[in-house]
Amino acid sequence: MKSKVRIRAAAEADLDGMVLLIERLFALEPDYPFDAAKVRRGLDLLLARKDAAALWVAELDGRAVGMCSAQIVISTAEGGPVAWVEDVVVNPDRRGQGIGRLLLDAVSAWATRRGICRLQLLADGENAAALGFYRSLDWRTTRMICLRLRPGD
Ligand SMILES: CC(C)(COP(=O)(O)OP(=O)(O)OC[C@H]1O[C@@H](n2cnc3c(N)ncnc32)[C@H](O)[C@@H]1OP(=O)(O)O)[C@@H](O)C(=O)NCCC(=O)NCCS
């Protein structure tokens, strides 16, 4: 019998699996050096922030084979809440099977329920596969670029 993917809210028991998935993701994103302890702490904080964040896993045969997260911020441009989508990744052996689409569908449904009028994300400019994926799901690029500062450095 063919196994079915289930998109569900992530829980503490998914932490190890999510850390591994994010290691795979950061391998493609040189802007994000992978540090397992920091990733785990970040995931813990997200799990605890139920009012303003959400984490999903794609479960197949009892294993997390994909994940994504979203966090709410207030936009002055929109005059209301918008959300940053991050940590979008599917295990290499499960890519191209519709799991990424299911994860983003779950984010969209959550955003609609929460009155969030815009989703946004950062993608590595050289990650052509991810950019193709988002475009095929109607995400549009903007003129904005990302700038960073580490205060105190
Ligand atoms: C990007 C990623 C999350 C997509 O997940 P996925 O499960 O492989 O994607 P899906 O199978 O759900 O594809 C959904 C749609 O996107 C399209 N798509 C996927 N990859 C594509 C590509 N490289 N170019 C164009 N379209 C693409 C699919 O054709 C599909 O459209 P369809 O349903 O009309 O056929 C996954 O490939 C991945 O984990 N990549 C590595 C991590 C990464 O780059 N994450 C993004 C960080 S910003």
Side-chain angles (χ1 to χ4, degrees):
M1 191 177 70
K2 203 166 176 241
S3 308
K4 201 169 169 343
V5 175
R6 185 165 74 104
I7 309 297
R8 60 165 174 79
E12 256 188 70
D14 299 307
L15 278 172
D16 288 343
M18 290 193 289
V19 171
L20 277 176
L21 284 163
I22 289 181
E23 183 173 13
R24 299 226 154 94
L25 172 62
F26 286 6
L28 301 167
E29 297 182 331
D31 272 357
Y32 297 101
F34 176 73
D35 176 325
K38 285 185 180 174
V39 168
R40 180 174 279 268
R41 198 155 68 237
L43 290 169
D44 267 334
L45 289 167
L46 281 173
L47 283 174
R49 226 179 144 204
K50 298 209 183 318
D51 55 330
L55 261 173
W56 295 264
V57 291
E59 184 187 299
L60 183 69
D61 297 330
R63 197 168 69 97
V65 297
M67 67 173 291
C68 68
S69 69
Q71 300 187 56
I72 299 173
V73 293
I74 300 300
S75 161
T76 49
E78 301 287 357
V82 301
W84 280 102
V85 177
E86 292 192 303
D87 309 315
V88 180
V89 57
V90 173
N91 238 17
D93 63 336
R94 296 289 170 191
R95 288 179 194 161
Q97 299 173 19
I99 297 174
R101 174 191 283 277
L102 288 176
L103 284 163
L104 291 188
D105 283 351
V107 179
S108 290
W110 167 84
T112 304
R113 284 197 305 276
R114 301 287 298 254
I116 290 162
C117 56
R118 189 177 75 211
L119 297 173
Q120 57 204 26
L121 59 81
L122 296 171
D124 189 292
E126 294 184 8
N127 191 346
L131 296 172
F133 162 73
Y134 291 118
R135 279 197 200 104
S136 86
L137 299 183
D138 290 332
W139 286 68
R140 295 290 166 250
T141 50
T142 77
R143 294 169 53 95
M144 308 302 285
I145 59 165
C146 181
L147 296 149
R148 284 179 171 178
L149 171 79
R150 287 189 177 272
D153 275 4

